[in-house]
Amino acid sequence: MKYSSVNSRIDHLKSLVSVLPNQPGIYQYFDNTGKIIYVGKAKDLKKRVSSYFSKNHDNRKTALLVRNIHDIKHMVVETEQDALLLENNLIKKYQPRYNIRLKDDKTYPWIVVKNEAFPRVFQTRNVVRDGSAYFGPYTSVFAVRTLLDLFRRIYKLRNCNLNLQSENVKAGKYKVCLEYHIGNCLGPCEGHQEERDYYKYIDEIKDILKGNISAVIKYLREIMIGYSNNYQFEEANQVKEKLDVLEKFQNRSTVVSATITDVDVYGIDVVEKSAFVNYLKVINGAIVQTYTTEIKKALDESPEELLEYAIVDIRQKIFSNAKELLVPFKTDISLDGVTFKVPMIGDKKKLMDLSIRNAKYFRLEKEKQFALSKPAQSTNRILETMKKDLQLKELPVQIECFDNSNLQGTNPVAACVVFKNGKPAKKEYRHFNIKTVDGPNDFASMEEIIYRRYKRQVEEEKQLPQLIIIDGGKGQLGAALNALEKLSLRGKIPIIGIAKKLEEIFFPGDSVPLYLDKNSETLKIIQQARDEAHRFGITFHRQKRSKNFIQSELDNIPGIGEKTVQHLLRKFKSLENLKKQTYDTVSAEIGDSRATKIFNHLNIKN
């Protein structure tokens, strides 16, 4: 439906909103072409939809969505849970532009117990709603193969695709194959195996896939004892072999707590444009399944909204019916017969922490894979982001960061670290001994090292950086600017200061600092450079203090000259190392006479 003016569009939308019921349901927004652009759920349809049109939206994407709405449709449902499920299914079907996007995981493998006579058990990547039982998805193909191999070793299942309906078997349509003759199949195709016996195996397999390994082990142990009591030792030994395999498999499961029975755990890690949700399935105190999915943000959704959507989707996907769910924070989601808990202490809190760590590891692994697969594009993207965030005129291909170190007011030194294309260029790091400043004066020290660094760069006609980072606030930044002023470089090299306490970014001549998002790539590069400069400076400072200490100690020994001290310093690095040496080792370096003087003065036993 098209409108001649903005006012007529708004009037039409207001009329639609005015008749919405105060009941749970889903609503759909359409653009001027009749295409669905957003699907949402609500406990109260009228209140929720009205909120879109009754206020100004700070979020640019939400404001853009509202401007593009030309029609609204809704559907009333019985419960909030129905609204959640319907919303999830409609988003998957229509993939509206302004909705959350779940990463498609068709590539993950499942294990299917086929809905057929004498069911087959095999791996698949396509879930077909044909009554078959699906278990998964598994993030590891190795785990799937391990389970299928386990079933082949314990149970004699068929792997052919014959239609083994009873009428076909009775009619003698099929003949046993090689699998029967080598003992991998019991020949149901010729009626050598009863269907009820085969289904006992299938029930055990389903229990194992659901995580109920203990129940299967208990059942098999009872059968083994029964065979043994009846002197059927061969049959008892066959069951024992199955038990051994199952117990070994169970021991590889991650046991978390014997007191936790059946529970689902959901951890989330939210970054700038997406979120990663990890799912852990715990049965009888052991983690039997783990799965992580990625969600793409569309309208800067809150962590609560992202988690709610993921829970509904994962429960549908995994076919989970757990009655207790552990989540990292309270949400408004409500599911029939399901209890939501935010664990604060104990084993459940440890499980929650584990799930959150898994979500973070999954994100970091994806970031690493992306960086490895597209290093040039990734680097250029980060530099472009920094250029935009810091309002630079050119890409900060070379960044230089400075830090002072004068612990306890002694041995003042400074460090300069260099980053090229967003990565440390360690061969170009430089140390500075402060020469013109007496006592601890960070501002004067900063001015000295900036002046010395760029005076030399200009004289040697070396390339100047596209960004200078000063570890410190307004004072250190002002001192650095004074140095650049003396060199006529002020305004020619972009320079910023970063204050540690609140990670404030200061610009020359601007009293209001910039606060970057804590997940911003720009801030991460700045922090990495700052931390690297601090580490490099502290290391040099400690080395210098150690060197001065050993020199001052040895200089006080009568008969030990400066050359001897320098030789010992080069050889043994520190006074502590020198004290650990034997008399013969030291005398071999400087002779018996001087070695004796040093050992006597330092009270070192020969």
Side-chain angles (χ1 to χ4, degrees):
M1 188 180 293
K2 294 185 178 180
Y3 302 97
S4 57
S5 69
V6 173
N7 288 336
S8 61
R9 178 181 73 91
I10 293 173
D11 290 341
H12 173 71
L13 294 176
K14 284 182 177 179
S15 69
L16 293 176
V17 173
S18 66
V19 297
L20 287 172
N22 296 102
Q23 294 181 32
I26 62 101
Y27 54 93
Q28 298 167 293
Y29 294 152
F30 296 80
D31 64 12
N32 59 352
T33 67
K35 183 179 180 181
I36 294 178
I37 57 174
Y38 188 76
V39 176
K41 68 179 185 307
K43 292 180 183 178
D44 185 320
L45 279 168
K46 190 167 189 174
K47 187 183 292 186
R48 181 72 181 106
V49 177
S50 296
S51 69
Y52 282 91
F53 305 98
S54 60
K55 60 182 180 180
N56 292 324
H57 297 281
D58 295 330
N59 184 275
R60 188 179 65 83
K61 288 185 178 178
T62 305
L64 191 60
L65 163 65
V66 174
R67 285 204 298 271
N68 283 322
I69 298 172
H70 282 254
D71 198 10
I72 303 171
K73 292 182 182 179
H74 74 278
M75 184 180 298
V76 175
V77 294
E78 289 293 324
T79 65
E80 184 190 353
Q81 178 170 327
D82 293 335
L84 284 165
L85 296 173
L86 184 55
E87 178 200 35
N88 182 275
N89 292 332
L90 288 173
I91 289 173
K92 285 181 182 176
K93 182 177 180 180
Y94 294 108
Q95 297 187 348
R97 179 181 177 184
Y98 294 99
N99 273 107
I100 289 168
R101 297 292 178 90
L102 271 166
K103 182 180 179 295
D104 184 12
D105 46 19
K106 289 179 182 176
T107 56
Y108 289 138
W110 298 71
I111 292 177
V112 58
V113 179
K114 201 66 179 169
N115 180 27
E116 61 189 1
F118 296 95
R120 290 168 293 154
V121 180
F122 56 90
Q123 173 186 333
T124 183
R125 292 182 185 270
N126 297 312
V127 176
V128 182
R129 306 288 178 173
D130 61 354
S132 299
Y134 289 85
F135 301 87
Y138 294 89
T139 52
S140 167
V141 176
F142 177 75
V144 173
R145 290 172 180 167
T146 300
L147 284 166
L148 293 176
D149 182 62
L150 175 74
F151 300 149
R152 278 193 291 269
R153 291 170 62 187
I154 297 178
Y155 307 105
K156 309 295 184 182
L157 301 180
R158 72 178 181 113
N159 57 16
C160 62
N161 58 2
L162 302 176
N163 182 0
L164 297 187
Q165 295 289 342
S166 57
E167 56 269 23
N168 293 335
V169 175
K170 288 176 183 176
K173 282 190 175 184
Y174 312 114
K175 296 293 182 184
V176 292
C177 63
L178 179 63
E179 290 292 302
Y180 172 78
H181 293 295
I182 62 177
N184 289 341
C185 175
L186 298 180
C189 57
E190 281 194 27
H192 297 314
Q193 185 180 22
E194 293 290 336
E195 195 167 359
R196 64 174 179 272
D197 295 332
Y198 193 95
Y199 268 100
K200 287 180 183 177
Y201 295 161
I202 295 298
D203 289 340
E204 290 176 19
I205 286 170
K206 286 181 177 179
D207 275 339
I208 292 170
L209 290 171
K210 291 175 183 175
N212 299 329
I213 300 176
S214 299
V216 177
I217 288 175
K218 182 181 178 182
Y219 170 71
L220 290 176
R221 188 169 283 117
E222 289 172 356
I223 292 177
M224 181 184 71
I225 293 170
Y227 281 139
S228 181
N229 290 338
N230 292 324
Y231 305 104
Q232 295 174 277
F233 299 119
E234 187 175 340
E235 290 83 351
N237 188 61
Q238 290 174 352
V239 177
K240 185 179 182 301
E241 289 175 357
K242 292 181 182 180
L243 274 170
D244 289 342
V245 175
L246 272 178
E247 285 173 343
K248 285 178 183 176
F249 180 77
Q250 185 187 40
N251 290 336
R252 290 200 299 270
S253 299
T254 306
V255 178
V256 290
S257 172
T259 60
I260 300 175
T261 52
D262 298 352
V263 63
D264 284 355
V265 188
Y266 292 90
I268 186 169
D269 181 40
V270 182
V271 290
E272 192 173 358
K273 295 181 180 179
S274 59
F276 299 84
V277 178
N278 172 259
Y279 161 80
L280 299 177
K281 185 175 188 64
V282 181
I283 293 180
N284 295 327
I287 298 171
V288 299
Q289 189 176 355
T290 180
Y291 167 73
T292 305
T293 189
E294 180 183 358
I295 305 173
K296 294 290 185 183
K297 290 184 187 178
L299 297 175
D300 196 28
E301 293 84 359
S302 68
E304 289 79 8
E305 290 176 297
L306 295 165
L307 183 62
E308 287 174 13
Y309 187 80
I311 288 173
V312 174
D313 185 76
I314 290 172
R315 280 177 68 85
Q316 280 188 310
K317 198 170 288 176
I318 307 292
F319 310 117
S320 173
N321 56 3
K323 300 302 179 186
E324 182 180 350
L325 272 61
L326 304 184
V327 290
F329 41 71
K330 289 183 179 179
T331 68
D332 292 331
I333 189 171
S334 176
L335 300 174
D336 292 342
V338 176
T339 303
F340 289 84
K341 292 183 180 178
V342 181
M344 304 304 291
I345 57 172
D347 290 334
K348 290 184 178 179
K349 179 63 167 64
K350 291 177 183 176
L351 265 177
M352 189 75 262
D353 293 340
L354 175 63
S355 183
I356 293 171
R357 283 202 304 275
N358 272 319
K360 288 182 178 178
Y361 292 152
F362 184 87
R363 170 180 57 85
L364 292 170
E365 192 61 36
K366 285 206 70 174
E367 289 174 355
K368 287 178 185 175
Q369 289 173 358
F370 179 80
L372 288 172
S373 62
K374 297 182 178 179
Q377 295 92 320
S378 177
T379 298
N380 192 63
R381 178 181 55 78
I382 292 170
L383 295 181
E384 287 285 359
T385 302
M386 292 190 73
K387 179 184 175 184
K388 180 181 177 183
D389 289 345
L390 301 177
Q391 298 178 355
L392 306 175
K393 293 181 180 178
E394 54 184 328
L395 293 179
V397 175
Q398 182 166 321
I399 301 170
E400 297 187 358
C401 183
F402 295 84
D403 179 45
N404 291 327
S405 296
N406 56 3
L407 296 176
Q408 300 171 357
T410 63
N411 308 115
V413 297
C416 167
V417 299
V418 180
F419 274 46
K420 290 190 174 180
N421 293 314
K423 295 180 181 178
K426 294 192 175 183
K427 289 183 179 179
E428 299 192 31
Y429 287 10
R430 293 294 181 268
H431 286 134
F432 296 87
N433 288 307
I434 304 301
K435 297 178 178 179
T436 63
V437 181
D438 293 326
N441 187 331
D442 282 347
F443 298 160
S445 298
M446 183 62 72
E447 185 172 343
E448 178 190 323
I449 61 171
I450 294 294
Y451 181 82
R452 286 167 53 192
R453 169 69 173 176
Y454 295 111
K455 183 175 184 292
R456 182 165 186 170
Q457 296 292 89
V458 170
E459 288 174 349
E460 295 180 0
E461 297 183 352
K462 291 186 176 179
Q463 182 182 357
L464 296 173
Q466 287 77 45
L467 177 64
I468 298 172
I469 300 171
I470 303 299
D471 181 12
K474 296 178 186 177
Q476 282 91 340
L477 181 60
L481 285 167
N482 290 339
L484 294 179
E485 184 82 54
K486 292 176 184 177
L487 295 167
S488 300
L489 291 176
R490 182 165 180 167
K492 295 181 180 179
I493 309 176
I495 183 169
I496 61 172
I498 176 169
K500 287 188 179 73
K501 190 173 182 181
L502 298 174
E503 303 294 48
E504 301 164 309
I505 308 296
F506 288 96
F507 290 84
D510 191 345
S511 60
V512 180
L514 170 68
Y515 294 93
L516 293 170
D517 185 280
K518 65 179 181 179
N519 294 313
S520 159
E521 289 179 315
T522 298
L523 181 60
K524 287 178 180 177
I525 293 290
I526 294 172
Q527 287 172 327
Q528 187 185 358
R530 185 266 314 276
D531 295 343
E532 185 70 350
H534 183 68
R535 178 199 65 77
F536 192 57
I538 287 292
T539 303
F540 180 50
H541 188 271
R542 286 173 180 160
Q543 290 172 349
K544 189 175 179 184
R545 286 177 64 196
S546 175
K547 177 180 176 182
N548 288 350
F549 181 65
I550 186 173
Q551 282 181 307
S552 62
E553 281 288 311
L554 297 179
D555 283 342
N556 293 329
I557 304 175
I560 302 298
E562 185 180 345
K563 287 187 178 179
T564 302
V565 172
Q566 292 297 331
H567 180 76
L568 290 172
L569 185 61
R570 282 195 299 270
K571 181 67 179 177
F572 301 114
K573 308 301 181 186
S574 71
L575 189 63
E576 288 303 313
N577 265 353
L578 175 62
K579 288 180 178 180
K580 293 176 184 177
Q581 307 304 317
T582 64
Y583 177 83
D584 290 340
T585 302
V586 178
S587 65
E589 295 293 331
I590 59 175
D592 287 331
S593 175
R594 281 173 288 186
T596 301
K597 290 175 183 177
I598 289 173
F599 270 66
N600 288 339
H601 183 83
L602 298 177
N603 293 319
I604 304 174
K605 294 181 180 180
N606 290 348

